[in-house]
Amino acid sequence: MSDNKFTFVQLEESASEHIASPQYSYWKSVFRKFFSSKLAIFMLIVAFSVLLIAFIQPIFSKYNPTIMPHINDRTMKYIRPNATYWFGTDDVGNSLFDAVWAGTKNSLIISLIATAITTVLGVIVGMFWGYSKKMDQIMIQIYNVFANIPFTLLVMVLMYTFGQGMAQLIFALSVTSWLGTAYFIRVQVMIIRDREYNLASRCLGTPTHRILKQNVLPYLVSVIVTAISRDVPLFISYEVFLSFIGVGLSQKEASLGGMIQKYSVYLQSASYLFWIPVCISAFISVSFYIVGQTLADASDPRTHMV
Amino acid sequence: MDDKKVILEVKDLSITFGSGKKTFTAVKNVNFNVFEGETFAIVGESGSGKTTIGRAIVRINPLSSGEIIYDDKKISGKLSKEMDQWVIKNIQMVFQDPAASLNERATIDYIISEGLYNFKLYKNEEDRKAKVDQALSDVGLLPEHKSRYPHEFSGGQRQRVGIARAMIMEPKLLIADEPISALDVSIRAQVLNLLKKFQKERNLTVVFVAHDLSVVRFISDRIAVIHKGRIVELAETEELFNNSLHPYTKSLLSAVPLPDPEIEKSKELIVYDESVHDYSVDKPSFHEIKPGHFIWANQAELEKYRLELK
């Protein structure tokens, strides 16, 4: 061994700065994580099939609860589920299969639109509410007042004032729910509001709306997905509940809630009339909820580390 | 000393947190000047209020009293929109913890361009990209890092991103809030050299907040020693290290580890005891005991310190 066996090599500084790991992409990681759960894939298929059937089947069946062509035909009533009538027929001889999907369609429309309105309004208001201390002082008082009015009472008053109907029901549900979502988002924003990178952005003179969009919103994706996955089944249950107590959709429009209410009297004699809509409603709730929760987990970047 | 231009003037600065009975005064009646192009260090133990002073200059912490004057203009309190933007462009900050001060959900490209977007400091998209590339190469990073996220970088790289983000605004004054205390020892020099390089190239003034005296001696021109929210001694670096007067400064200097284990073993630590000051009758104030050397003391102590200096 001697020194002449060694030579000096040039240190390449830029080479040590190189990052060898593959490019990170947020949404790619979200989907990779989501599709790694078999239950979530199964539930996604269930939810997607329910959506497809609910929006396509009524186009062909043209089901309308006010049209009862077999009302005088005794042989058509209370047929148990069989190969022709998959879900059987009801007290006026209409196919329950047609009725259920028409009802599901209406319930889904109500739930999805109400969720969209609630989420958009709640997230926008909630972000400013959580970020601005001045706005918080006013909003928290408004929230305290409205949060203490019973939800059912408020919806009933609204439905009696504006009359029954799909648009009115969506309005009543959104009006009563967006403040809750806003409050939920407010708390989340307050947690991350004074983190150091937000101070850094303020030091750089970033306007509030851009801080909210770039520094706050990306951190909320996971909680927003959680809120959506909670709201969709919740609004379906609300619709079922409100129609059941008679302030939801009128009997002229098909809805899962109205159907469950109407058929609840046959729980003893023709129980399939009651249980099939209940099961469909539960299917939708569970599948949407599990898909949403898995997506919420997947959209939290802490789960992306392998 | 007189020929240097004062760029930042802090007058009677006090900052309190909380209200009512829970009031806590973090900074008390702090006075100092920072000259253009120098590195001014604020040192003190944890909780002494040094970060609070730095944050007050960039206006994250509101003042309870006193004022801050930058370039002959008052920058504390309420400012007009133009003044506000002017201050932001001139005074930038590097944060202590590079892991917490970068937005984990934004790409490096956005993080570095943030200031440019806010003030439209670019002509077009190509110009912005060129500026970001330049800022990255100035701090020794590669253009390919633009599409990466902060969590993919090492601590030193992240802190350099933090420096690039501040320097792209071309500030005149940089507040460096313990920029190396969260970093691995092996890369501290890299970040310090980077700050020195910027200072030489761009005549940057740096207010360097730190608690590591050996680092401060390496980088700064003048040092202010702060204890419990009050500056107890302020002098040029070598003057402070050679002729420290205040017992707290002496104690702080005695705590600096020495690289020689033999000397380190026999080193005597001076413990600061606040009871040596008797401020019951003779009230202390901030005096210039010798040109450029300030000390917090009362008349009796001043006499004693003067004797020590001779």
Side-chain angles (χ1 to χ4, degrees), chain B residues 24-68:
Chain B
F24 173 73
T25 309
V27 176
K28 297 167 210 160
N29 299 89
V30 160
N31 285 287
F32 63 83
N33 291 341
V34 178
F35 299 108
E36 190 167 26
E38 75 167 346
T39 303
F40 182 83
I42 303 174
V43 294
E45 60 193 84
S46 308
S48 59
K50 49 194 194 305
T51 296
T52 312
I53 296 177
R55 290 190 170 193
I57 299 169
V58 289
R59 299 168 304 147
I60 296 176
N61 290 334
L63 318 187
S64 351
S65 70
E67 55 184 17
I68 297 170

Side-chain angles (χ1 to χ4, degrees), chain B residues 179-197:
Chain B
I180 53 160
S181 61
L183 299 183
D184 191 282
V185 180
S186 60
I187 47 167
R188 288 183 174 180
Q190 186 188 34
V191 171
L192 288 177
N193 288 333
L194 194 61
L195 285 175
K196 278 213 152 180
K197 185 194 93 177

Side-chain angles (χ1 to χ4, degrees), chain B residues 160-184:
Chain B
R160 281 183 280 149
V161 170
I163 293 172
R165 160 174 77 178
M167 290 311 296
I168 204 167
M169 306 283 283
E170 293 171 359
K172 301 264 169 20
L173 175 65
L174 188 73
I175 314 289
D177 179 13
E178 305 197 37
I180 53 160
S181 61
L183 299 183
D184 191 282

Side-chain angles (χ1 to χ4, degrees), chain A residues 14 17-19 21-24 26 196-197 199-201 203-207 210 214-215 218-219 299 301, chain B residues 55 60 88 92 95 100-105 110 114 118-119 140-142 144-145 147-149 157 160 165:
Chain A
S14 69
E17 303 288 353
H18 180 72
I19 297 176
S21 67
Q23 286 275 347
Y24 171 80
Y26 176 70
E196 208 158 70
Y197 57 85
L199 296 183
S201 286
C203 275
L204 286 162
T206 311
R210 196 179 294 134
Q214 297 283 356
N215 295 14
Y219 285 84
S299 54
Chain B
R55 290 190 170 193
I60 296 176
I88 290 169
Q92 272 301 317
F95 287 82
S101 63
L102 300 180
N103 182 359
E104 289 284 335
R105 300 288 282 275
Y110 174 77
E114 195 168 345
N118 296 340
F119 297 105
L141 294 171
L142 310 172
E144 68 184 49
H145 290 149
S147 58
R148 298 283 183 167
Y149 289 83
Q157 285 176 319
R160 281 183 280 149
R165 160 174 77 178

